[in-house]
């Protein structure tokens, strides 16, 4: 699998994050940099879901 394919798969997997688990995900980080990455990813996915909810007038 190429790096591009891996990144596409990562994006798809991140879209399935359950935000009730975000604290557990972040606290499982092995380094502070990894925790920052997890925070950024979960924040981004949440923002996208919020945007879709607003666009669909489900707020």
């Amino acid at each position: 699998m190429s790096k591009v394919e891996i990144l596409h798969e990562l994006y798809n997997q991140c879209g399935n994050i359950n935000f009730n688990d975000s604290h557990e995900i972040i606290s499982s980080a092995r380094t502070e940099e990894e925790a920052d990455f997890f925070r950024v990813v979960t924040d981004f996915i949440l923002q996208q879901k919020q945007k879709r909810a607003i666009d669909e007038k489900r707020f």
Side-chain angles (χ1 to χ4, degrees), residues 10-27:
L10 176 61
Y11 173 78
N12 290 331
Q13 291 298 319
C14 288
N16 296 323
I17 290 173
N18 180 339
F19 289 94
N20 294 327
D21 298 330
S22 62
H23 177 66
E24 180 183 343
I25 292 167
I26 293 167
S27 65

Side-chain angles (χ1 to χ4, degrees), residues 41-56:
V41 169
T42 55
D43 286 348
F44 174 78
I45 298 298
L46 179 58
Q47 289 170 4
Q48 294 304 307
K49 288 182 179 188
Q50 289 173 330
K51 183 180 182 298
R52 279 193 295 276
I54 291 168
D55 290 347
E56 296 170 4

